[in-house]
């Protein structure tokens, strides 16, 4: 077992703690369908710096998305998905560029402030009407890409975009499935270009994908439809609390 931790460049205590965090993050994703990276970031950012954590979460998000895809993206608005993906591709370059140049403490704090801000906006159900346009779609993609590069939480930006649109839920879900798949490819290319997706981060991602997917599976199994209206608000409130605690700890 020691050789595994050496390969992952982690101590046993760090590895076990991260595995437990990713199980919990998977549970949240299985329950609510979102916030895997946000939940993981709120807890794991004090163990690994964002520049090392974000490429690991790329693998976890990919695994969870593939596991949760059922109907695929039949009926998706591919034009919207393409605009979001193009904007995100540009934004990720900026976000990762900042993450790789900032010092660890500054990167931690920016990531946590971004996470808390997005969670507050979602909890308050803020609807930004300007997003419901072609320009708004492109802007959402860029901001989501920056958020992905900085903290791996681009999905929370896109959630605000979904809230602003009056499109049929089935169409938006299929569109977002397409965007997540296309966006994961462009994000991977950017990670490779910046060198943040290296052999260590890939090994970590594949290793921790197992506990994460166990969490997703359990979350789906334990999901109760009658409690569905409460899952999102409870998880967002928890995210804000965890993010605030981590932010305070990073400042001490």
């Amino acid at each position: 077992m020691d050789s595994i931790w050496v390969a992952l460049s982690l101590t046993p205590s760090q590895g076990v703690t991260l595995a437990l965090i990713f199980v919990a993050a998977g549970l949240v994703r299985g329950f609510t369908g979102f916030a895997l990276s946000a939940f993981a970031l709120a807890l794991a950012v004090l163990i690994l710096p964002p520049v090392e954590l974000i490429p690991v979460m790329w693998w976890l998000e990919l695994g969870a998305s593939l596991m949760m895809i059922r109907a695929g993206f039949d009926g998706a608005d591919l034009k919207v998905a393409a605009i979001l993906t193009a904007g995100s591709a540009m934004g990720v370059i900026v976000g990762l560029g900042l993450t790789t140049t900032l010092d660890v403490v500054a990167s931690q704090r920016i990531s946590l402030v971004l996470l808390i801000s997005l969670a507050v906006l979602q909890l308050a159900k803020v609807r930004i009407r300007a997003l419901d346009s072609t320009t708004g779609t492109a802007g959402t993609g860029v901001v989501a890409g920056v958020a992905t590069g900085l903290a791996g939480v681009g999905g929370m930006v896109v959630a605000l975009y979904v809230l602003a649109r009056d499109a049929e839920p089935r169409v938006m879900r299929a569109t977002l499935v397409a965007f997540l798949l296309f966006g994961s490819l462009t994000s991977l290319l950017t990670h490779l270009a910046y060198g943040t997706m290296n052999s260590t981060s890939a090994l970590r991602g594949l290793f921790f994908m197992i506990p994460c997917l166990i969490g997703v599976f359990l979350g789906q199994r334990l999901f109760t439809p009658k409690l569905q209206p409460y899952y999102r608000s409870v998880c967002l409130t928890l995210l804000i609390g965890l993010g605030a605690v981590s932010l305070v700890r990073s400042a001490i």
Side-chain angles (χ1 to χ4, degrees):
M1 195 68 184
D2 288 341
S3 60
I4 294 177
W5 302 129
V6 170
L8 297 174
S9 297
L10 297 169
T11 65
S13 61
Q14 287 177 325
V16 171
T17 302
L18 286 171
L20 292 174
I21 289 172
F22 293 138
V23 169
L27 274 169
V28 170
R29 178 65 176 268
F31 273 131
T32 67
F34 81 115
L36 190 161
S37 290
F39 192 91
L41 176 82
L43 293 170
V45 73
L46 297 179
I47 299 174
L48 290 177
V51 71
E52 294 184 35
L53 187 58
I54 293 168
V56 173
M57 294 192 300
W58 181 89
W59 288 97
L60 305 188
E61 287 284 5
L62 178 65
S65 296
L66 292 175
M67 184 175 180
M68 296 184 72
I69 289 174
R70 295 183 182 231
F73 46 80
D74 289 342
D77 187 332
L78 294 181
K79 178 183 176 181
V80 168
I83 294 172
L84 285 172
T85 301
S88 179
M90 292 185 287
V92 168
I93 294 172
V94 175
L96 270 180
L98 289 172
T99 300
T100 54
T101 54
L102 291 169
D103 68 80
V104 172
V105 175
S107 182
Q108 285 178 344
R109 292 175 183 175
I110 291 172
S111 298
L112 289 168
V113 168
L114 181 60
L115 182 155
I116 293 169
S117 301
L118 290 171
V120 168
L121 288 172
Q122 286 198 45
L123 189 62
K125 295 184 178 180
V126 174
R127 303 187 71 171
I128 306 172
R129 293 295 183 184
L131 298 181
D132 191 9
S133 64
T134 300
T135 302
T137 302
T140 299
V142 172
V143 175
V146 173
T148 297
L150 281 171
V153 294
M156 296 186 74
V157 174
V158 178
L160 291 174
Y161 169 76
V162 171
L163 194 63
R165 290 179 66 93
D166 294 321
E168 184 183 346
R170 180 187 63 81
V171 173
M172 284 310 303
R173 181 191 179 281
T175 301
L176 291 179
V177 168
F179 163 68
L180 288 172
L181 289 176
F182 300 156
S184 65
L185 175 59
T186 58
S187 295
L188 175 61
L189 294 175
T190 308
H191 276 298
L192 291 172
Y194 274 104
T196 49
M197 185 66 79
N198 50 38
S199 58
T200 301
S201 57
L203 281 172
R204 287 172 174 173
L206 291 170
F207 180 82
F208 289 117
M209 189 184 290
I210 297 171
C212 178
L213 294 184
I214 289 173
V216 173
F217 175 78
L218 292 175
Q220 289 178 306
R221 290 289 180 178
L222 296 173
F223 176 79
T224 304
K226 68 178 181 180
L227 296 178
Q228 183 176 3
Y230 306 103
Y231 285 141
R232 192 176 187 86
S233 58
V234 169
C235 286
L236 286 171
T237 302
L238 183 60
L239 268 179
I240 293 168
L242 291 172
V245 169
S246 291
L247 188 60
V248 170
R249 287 187 63 187
S250 73
I252 295 175

